[in-house]
RNA sequence: GGGGGCGUGGCGGAAUGGCAGACGCAAGGGAUUUAAAAUCCCUUGACCGACAGGUCGUGCGGGUUCGAGUCCCGCCGCCCCCACCA
């Protein structure tokens, strides 16, 4: 038999050309039901990484599956092309950002085509093109008219390395910049904001709609980020000056226990009181010191509570008590009112502060044991009896009494119910060049003047000098900055800040339905046809950034009457991280695998083969650090000789454990890479990359190929009917085939379980390999077609090649998903386990339709069972026909 | 401190409350080969046993059930997110 090697390189190119030529993924009007599948579009960094490969492969499998299921599928791709890397490259190399961006797009588009991902490229756009970003400006004006965008002075996050402010959401763990990882500092600045916080309640309420179709983790993160808390606002008064001082509290039940008041260092009242203070300088000094302390989570956790007494007092409205007013480093200006009523007996933070500064404790909630605050070693925060609290003294359950207390406060005019959110407004301005210019003009006479709609777009100028450390280059572009005031015509100046690039990604999913429209942002008819997105796929790192902004933006667009839905993504799927073992040297930090040397405990070298085996075991986790040591090996750094440790971690440049998708496709082809990414684990879990793993996927493809090729001479021509009177082997083969159809379909429909779908195909493949010689030609064809179709969304080039070898002219993706024949899948004989007291003791081979009574009879008659039940009392027999028999004996 | 997720062989992982370990990787043995690669066949949870077979086994402790990896309660461990949020 002539062996034909699977030539992936020729085959993949051939089918990519055909799909493009035949417009397989071009979408227009159709009678079929619509399905909009979207993957998070990439920033054009220039190269795809493995995270992209997993993301886009998942999306592509769904697109092809839905095509086979008869849908009219929209699968677009574009570029999130504004942002810092292009601008930084310009500073470094002198290449203009647009040029850098275009080059990167060309490279990545070629990589995407090579991976075989099917997109409607006629819809492609890049957000840095004026045809796109002009609509950012148009939306800005619409938001402005509606009062959804404001300019305000506020404490903001400043990244010194990126030379720009950042939104709250873009400061990640430990107070680092989301882009560059540098420490972020707080500054007071006058900036543009979208009023995200106005939508806190709507964003939260929307979760009801999304629950079940978005990952729980994402909803939980958003909920946490929105941070709703219900409580009361109570107005205290500064005794000496009469200034009103409202506070927010979730614990109005402890109002009678307030023994001091804390102001955030940035609180406006601090400056005012300092001016009236006897020792202004000392107070301001202390406050300044507090403000310059770090704000990262780590800093905060390690930092001691610190404060300074202002010399002033406040009056507690519920009982007239006069308590000292402090400035404290734990009070945050950005939450509540910036002032905290402090109850040391019933709040751990206040407890610590009061201990340090010797402030009194007043017990107002009594624990069950009746103990006193003197005997506590920490604040009492659990449920208890209200004591020492005016009209509420004696209430048995403090938490249950809260609504009543709030009601009373309201009646007395002392306070009212208040819902507070942690969510802050979305800081929009960026002091950088490569973004959408904010369409605003500043006029000395007219103030802030929005650019009139008819003067849009405000085009980002290209005559720009990029100089490192000189701030936003737009400031130096006289032709850009100098402009006439649209209202009075006098000389005025343009806003030089640009928009956060997350504005671009907040509505790109809508633009894809009408990407070339130059008269409107979109045609409402096309939007109605496609949106909201049926299935969105991307990384979970966007849970509180992009995904939150896009939801907000959609809600505002809805309220502006521009769309008639208010959630952008009906279903969301988040893929897991792609990980690989990484090596860390004590001295040089992360090092790449080739820089690691394995030696024996005595320092002697290993030969090449031993080394290879050892590293393979480390890579596939069959050897951990302990095992390595106990086997008498250790790893050393080839650069400095220091010991080396290893761990499984996300593939990244900085950890030096990257896998280059191009190199993998050179070696194994796109289909093998795709198959491997999906075959091992469920796609929402961590994926581990190993050489052995990709090699296994390569073997699977070749096994399949040989099976199909070796069968070609035997398969009947398409359409040959399957005879009615098949022998047992052929009936078995048909049964397995149709059981596989059902299982594969369920695996895909039941939530992206491609690992089990692939396993089912493998099972069928293994079965067919054993029985191919006995297979009837028509049955053989049926089975082969099921395998090829089922696997084709995952390895599409392979699928189409096999499909054409099976004699079809058209692409497999224009055919239809295999049809499940329940009759053929039915078992005619079953092996039913018989348990005694829950343990399997025997098995019965019976016709599939044997009823319960018959099963019970057969089970009790079974020799093995009788031996075990002899002399005992059968108490109960549970029979589940077709499943099992359980006999309870004593 | 709060929230989310997870815990099954040497590894990734399968199991509508009903035969635990599908499928794959790694490992061992064999066939083929001058040799290697590739391919094909067999074995592979642990323990006892020559075999037949038996015993134990899904992080730990309880519970519900004829029957629990799966459901309930209480622990332990790991991962992720948030965190001086009043």
């Amino acid at each position: 038999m002539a062996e034909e090697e699977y030539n992936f390189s020729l085959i993949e190119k051939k089918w990519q050309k055909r799909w493009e030529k035949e417009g397989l993924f071009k979408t227009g009007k159709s009678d079929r039901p619509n399905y909009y599948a979207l993957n998070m579009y990439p920033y054009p960094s220039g190269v795809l990484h493995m995270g992209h490969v997993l993301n886009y492969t998942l999306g592509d499998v769904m697109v092809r599956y839905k095509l086979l299921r008869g849908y009219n599928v929209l699968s677009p791709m574009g570029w999130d092309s504004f942002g810092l890397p292009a601008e930084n490259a310009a500073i470094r190399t002198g290449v203009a950002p647009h040029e850098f961006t275009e080059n990167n797009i060309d490279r990545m588009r070629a990589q995407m085509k090579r991976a075989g991902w099917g997109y409607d490229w006629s819809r492609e756009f890049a957000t840095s093109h004026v045809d796109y970003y002009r609509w950012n400006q148009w939306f800005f004006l619409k938001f402005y008219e509606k009062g959804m965008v404001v300019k305000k002075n506020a404490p903001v996050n400043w990244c010194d390395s990126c030379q720009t402010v950042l939104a709250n959401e873009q400061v990640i763990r430990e107070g680092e910049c989301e882009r560059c990882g540098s420490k972020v500092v707080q500054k007071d600045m006058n900036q543009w904001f979208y009023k995200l916080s106005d939508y806190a309640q709507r964003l939260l309420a929307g979760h009801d709609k999304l629950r079940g179709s978005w990952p729980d983790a994402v909803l939980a993160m958003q909920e946490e980020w929105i941070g709703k808390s219900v409580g009361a606002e109570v107005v205290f008064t500064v005794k000496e000056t009469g200034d009103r001082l409202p506070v927010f509290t979730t614990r109005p039940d402890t109002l009678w226990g307030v023994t001091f008041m804390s102001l955030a260092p940035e609180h406006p009242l601090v400056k005012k009181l300092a001016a009236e203070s006897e020792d202004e300088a000392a107070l301001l000094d202390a406050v300044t010191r507090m403000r310059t302390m770090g704000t990262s989570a780590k800093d905060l956790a390690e930092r001691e509570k610190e404060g300074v007494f202002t010399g002033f007092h406040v009056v507690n409205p519920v009982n007239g008590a006069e308590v000292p007013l402090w400035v404290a480093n734990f009070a945050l200006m950005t939450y509540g009112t910036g002032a905290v009523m402090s109850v040391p007996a019933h709040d751990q933070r206040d407890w610590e502060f009061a201990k340090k500064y010797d402030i009194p404790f007043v017990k107002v909630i009594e624990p069950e044991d009746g103990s006193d605050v003197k005997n506590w070693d920490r604040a009492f925060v659990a449920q208890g009896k209200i004591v020492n609290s005016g009209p509420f003294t004696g209430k048995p359950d403090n938490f249950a009494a809260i609504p009543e207390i709030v009601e009373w406060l309201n009646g007395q005019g002392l306070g009212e119910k208040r819902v507070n959110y942690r969510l802050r407004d979305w800081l929009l301005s960026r002091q950088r060049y490569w973004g959408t210019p904010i369409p605003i003009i500043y006029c000395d006479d007219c103030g802030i003047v929005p650019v009139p709609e008819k003067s849009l777009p405000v085009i980002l100028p290209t005559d720009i000098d990029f100089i490192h450390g000189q701030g936003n280059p737009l400031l130096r572009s006289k032709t850009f900055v100098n402009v006439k005031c649209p209202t009075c015509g006098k000389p005025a100046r343009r806003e030089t800040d640009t928009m956060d690039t997350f504005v671009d990604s907040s509505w790109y999913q809508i633009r894809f339905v009408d990407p070339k429209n130059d008269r409107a942002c979109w045609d409402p008819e096309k939007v109605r046809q496609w949106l909201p997105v049926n299935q969105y796929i991307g990384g979970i790192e966007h849970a509180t950034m992009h995904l939150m902004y896009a939801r907000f933006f959609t809600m505002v667009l809805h309220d502006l009457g521009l769309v008639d839905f208010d959630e952008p993504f009906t279903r969301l799927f988040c893929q897991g991280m792609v990980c690989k073992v990484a090596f860390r040297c004590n001295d040089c930090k992360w090092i790449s695998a080739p820089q690691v040397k394995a030696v024996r405990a005595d320092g002697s070298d290993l030969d090449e083969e031993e080394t290879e085996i050892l590293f393979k075991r480390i890579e596939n986790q069959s050897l951990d650090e302990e095992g390595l040591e106990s086997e008498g090996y250790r790893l050393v750094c080839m650069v400095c000789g220091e010991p080396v440790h290893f761990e499984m971690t996300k593939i990244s440049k900085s950890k030096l454990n990257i896998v280059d998708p191009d190199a993998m496709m050179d070696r194994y082809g796109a289909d093998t890479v795709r198959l491997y990414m999906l075959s091992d684990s469920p796609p929402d879990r961590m994926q581990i990359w190993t050489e052995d793993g990709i090699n296994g996927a390569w073997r699977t493809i070749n096994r399949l190929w040989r099976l199909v090729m070796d069968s070609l001479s035997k398969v009947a021509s398409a359409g040959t009917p399957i005879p009615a009177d098949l022998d047992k082997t052929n009936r078995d083969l048909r049964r397995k085939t149709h059981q596989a159809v059902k299982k594969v379909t369920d695996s895909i429909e039941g939530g992206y379980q491609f690992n089990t779908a692939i396993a089912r195909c493998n099972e069928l493949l293994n079965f067919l390999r054993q029985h191919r010689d006995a297979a009837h030609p028509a049955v053989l064809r049926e089975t082969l077609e099921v395998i090829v179709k089922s696997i084709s969304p995952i390895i599409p080039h392979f699928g189409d090649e096999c499909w054409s070898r099976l004699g079809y002219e058209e692409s497999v993706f224009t055919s239809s998903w295999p049809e499940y024949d329940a009759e053929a899948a039915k078992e005619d004989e079953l092996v039913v386990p018989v348990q005694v007291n829950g343990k399997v003791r025997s098995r019965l081979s019976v016709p599939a339709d044997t009823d319960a009574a018959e099963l019970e009879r057969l089970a009790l008659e079974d020799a093995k069972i009788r031996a075990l039940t002899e002399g005992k009392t059968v108490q109960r027999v549970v029979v589940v026909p077709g499943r099992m028999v359980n006999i309870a004996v004593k």
Side-chain angles (χ1 to χ4, degrees), chain A residues 123-137:
Chain A
R123 295 170 185 269
E124 176 188 5
F125 61 74
T127 57
S128 55
H129 288 176
V130 66
D131 298 346
Y132 186 85
Y133 72 70
R134 62 184 299 170
W135 300 108
N136 283 342
Q137 296 172 341

Side-chain angles (χ1 to χ4, degrees), chain A residues 68-124:
Chain A
L68 281 164
R69 296 301 317 233
Y71 285 85
N72 182 31
V73 181
L74 175 57
S75 170
M77 183 46 76
W79 311 97
D80 187 15
S81 54
F82 269 142
L84 279 177
E87 190 172 344
N88 290 341
I91 294 167
R92 219 174 39 244
T93 66
V95 178
H98 62 90
E99 205 176 308
F100 172 88
T101 302
E102 297 304 325
N103 288 341
N104 285 351
I105 288 175
D106 288 343
R107 291 227 300 280
M108 285 175 87
R109 192 193 299 107
Q111 280 188 301
M112 287 180 162
K113 288 187 174 178
R114 185 188 181 186
W117 300 322
Y119 301 118
D120 183 350
W121 286 106
S122 70
R123 295 170 185 269
E124 176 188 5

Side-chain angles (χ1 to χ4, degrees), chain A residues 821-861:
Chain A
D821 180 345
E823 199 49 45
K826 223 181 197 170
E827 298 280 355
D828 39 42
E829 189 159 274
L830 288 175
V831 176
V832 176
V834 182
Q835 305 175 335
V836 175
N837 291 338
K839 284 190 203 288
V840 177
R841 298 300 183 177
S842 184
R843 287 164 221 280
L844 302 171
S845 278
V846 295
D849 54 1
T850 309
D851 66 15
E854 177 68 1
L855 274 171
E856 179 169 344
R857 194 183 63 78
L858 289 169
L860 291 169
E861 265 177 17

